[in-house]
Amino acid sequence: MVNSEFSVGLALSGGGVRGLAHLGVYKALLEYNLEPEIISGTSAGALVGAFLCTGRTPEEVIDLFFKKGIFDFAKVHIPKKGFLDLSKLETFLNSELKYKRIEDLPKPLIVAVSDLKAGKIHYFEKGPLAKLLTASSCLPILFAPVELDDTLYVDGGLFDNLPISPILDRCAFSIAVNATPEGKCSELKNLLDIAQRIFELGARQNQDYKKAQLCIEPDNMLGIPLLDSQFAHKAFENGYHSAMNILSKSDLSQISVQ
């Protein structure tokens, strides 16, 4: 542990708008002087992680995502491979992130994406930032896959919704944040709701994140729709207050921040 590459590492789950709870958790970590030195994320967790790795504050990121809205990143098109096209998200990311490649970010980031052809997960630490973030956010069926180097990529949550494994052995202290809690779904109104629910249930199968030294699962997340940006600040507040509560009860004496 003494020779670990990083003191504190952070893994962030997918979860659509619920993933904005990660920003609240990050704010709480900063208040406890626990700034992560590396971030690993899937889907919403990768998006949030990328902006945090540029040095933006959690408050700046939540305001940006709230103003734009998740649906602003998608446009309806003829459903050949998916109902929605995320090209607008890639355009947005290229305009808002001045770093074009993952390896150029000031803080290390790992982006988890699923390879549809090979049927496995990939953890990217290098490569085109906006395109890989878009791929990691591409919910299967709902969104058309992202093509890169003759491979079709979709949401990393298909195989690993909370990518702790890439950082577990590299950090002296690892923190996992799961914004996709278990629980019953009260209502499924349409095809969008059904597709989200199917993916949500499948994403829970990987429980590796529980190997982290500290796991944070924000409270009251089931009532937040996955794709309704009007709930962005509610997710943020849930993440912040839940993290503050957990951190206040945790033994953090073992952490030595470099």
Side-chain angles (χ1 to χ4, degrees), residues 98-119:
K98 63 180 180 179
Y99 302 94
K100 299 306 178 185
R101 298 186 62 81
I102 298 174
E103 62 268 32
D104 295 335
L105 289 166
K107 180 178 293 185
L109 174 71
I110 299 172
V111 179
V113 297
S114 297
D115 182 335
L116 271 184
K117 291 184 176 181

Side-chain angles (χ1 to χ4, degrees), residues 110-131:
I110 299 172
V111 179
V113 297
S114 297
D115 182 335
L116 271 184
K117 291 184 176 181
K120 64 181 182 181
I121 193 77
H122 287 284
Y123 303 107
F124 284 93
E125 296 185 60
K126 297 181 179 181
L129 180 59
K131 185 170 288 293

